[in-house]
Amino acid sequence: MLIYIIRHGETYGNLNGDGFTETDLTPNGERQAKLLGERFKDERIDKIYTSPLIRAVKTTKEIKKHQKDVPVIIDCTLLEKGTDPDYTGLDDSTLLTQIPDAQILTRKPLGEENDETAYNRAKGIVEKIKAENDFNSTVVIVAHGTFNSFLVLAALNFPLKENFNFSHLNTGVTLVNYLEEKGVIKTKLKFLNDTSHLKL
């Protein structure tokens, strides 16, 4: 199984230091998302999971343009750590104007979180994705800079470490590969925070 973990494009919140509220892509963020989508135009993708925050949904939309038949799951459990504890994203109709055939899972606010609860949330997502998809699947997750660090830790089965995170630039792509070698399931980090698509 291949799991791509991707951060959304640049937002106005990124520019003003507020990366936790509902904030839209900047024109540069839209450009980044478009280039990201083009990066995946010839890739086989079986399913995309995205945060319900509009910056992630709009980034996902650019991938979906090149993957028209791929199902998109909008999942509140992918919200950024530090999102208002009662916020679950914009209403369904607004999100569906971006990706009309997306499936929006039942909304549940995150409540108050610390690093441990965010890490446990990430572990639950990784286990769910592994359970819901065939071992030979290619899955994309579009989420957020801070939460993606927890996702990578969980995907690699690394322990939570205080004051440590992975860098995730806007539309940075991380690839984790689960494979079987001689009857043993192995986990390999293929690359981390790759933004080569932005240099086109």
Side-chain angles (χ1 to χ4, degrees), residues 12-13 22 24 29-31 42 49 53 57-58 62 94 101 114 134 137 143-144 159 168 172 194 200:
Y12 291 101
E22 186 73 86
D24 210 341
E30 292 174 357
R31 179 190 69 85
D42 296 320
Y49 294 82
L53 296 182
V57 172
K58 284 189 173 181
E62 293 300 324
T94 300
D101 60 347
N114 56 32
D134 183 87
S137 296
H144 306 275
H168 296 279
D194 180 66
L200 297 176

Side-chain angles (χ1 to χ4, degrees), residues 122-184:
K123 286 200 295 187
I125 292 165
V126 170
E127 290 309 309
K128 180 181 83 165
I129 286 173
K130 289 163 80 174
E132 288 180 353
N133 295 278
D134 183 87
F135 188 71
N136 296 313
S137 296
T138 298
V139 175
V140 168
I141 302 171
V142 180
H144 306 275
T146 299
F147 190 62
N148 280 2
S149 282
F150 295 105
L151 285 171
V152 174
L153 286 171
L156 298 175
N157 200 29
F158 286 178
L160 181 64
K161 186 175 181 181
E162 190 175 359
N163 299 319
F164 173 83
N165 60 50
F166 294 101
S167 176
H168 296 279
L169 300 175
N170 292 116
T171 68
V173 180
T174 295
L175 177 58
V176 177
N177 185 14
Y178 299 106
L179 68 162
E180 184 177 348
E181 291 183 355
K182 298 179 181 178
V184 177

Side-chain angles (χ1 to χ4, degrees), residues 42-198:
D42 296 320
E43 296 288 330
R44 193 202 88 201
I45 297 175
D46 296 293
K47 193 178 292 183
I48 304 173
Y49 294 82
T50 182
S51 159
L53 296 182
I54 196 66
R55 54 195 184 267
V57 172
K58 284 189 173 181
T59 301
T60 299
K61 178 183 178 181
E62 293 300 324
I63 301 173
K64 174 74 168 168
K65 284 180 180 178
H66 302 280
Q67 302 280 341
K68 298 190 185 303
D69 297 326
V70 173
V72 172
I73 311 297
I74 299 176
D75 188 346
C76 272
T77 63
L78 289 169
L79 284 164
E80 176 65 298
K81 179 182 181 287
T83 300
D84 184 293
D86 297 318
Y87 187 66
T88 60
L90 299 174
D91 61 90
D92 287 9
S93 60
T94 300
L95 297 181
L96 293 174
T97 61
Q98 299 297 317
I99 308 175
D101 60 347
Q103 177 188 357
I104 302 175
L105 299 186
T106 302
R107 295 171 184 260
K108 182 180 178 184
L110 297 179
E112 296 289 346
E113 277 195 318
N114 56 32
D115 284 355
E116 184 177 359
T117 53
Y119 176 60
N120 287 333
R121 173 162 61 99
K123 286 200 295 187
I125 292 165
V126 170
E127 290 309 309
K128 180 181 83 165
I129 286 173
K130 289 163 80 174
E132 288 180 353
N133 295 278
D134 183 87
F135 188 71
N136 296 313
S137 296
T138 298
V139 175
V140 168
I141 302 171
V142 180
H144 306 275
T146 299
F147 190 62
N148 280 2
S149 282
F150 295 105
L151 285 171
V152 174
L153 286 171
L156 298 175
N157 200 29
F158 286 178
L160 181 64
K161 186 175 181 181
E162 190 175 359
N163 299 319
F164 173 83
N165 60 50
F166 294 101
S167 176
H168 296 279
L169 300 175
N170 292 116
T171 68
V173 180
T174 295
L175 177 58
V176 177
N177 185 14
Y178 299 106
L179 68 162
E180 184 177 348
E181 291 183 355
K182 298 179 181 178
V184 177
I185 303 300
K186 296 189 175 182
T187 304
K188 292 190 177 181
L189 177 64
K190 301 286 282 186
F191 51 80
L192 176 72
N193 190 35
D194 180 66
T195 56
S196 57
H197 51 280
L198 300 181

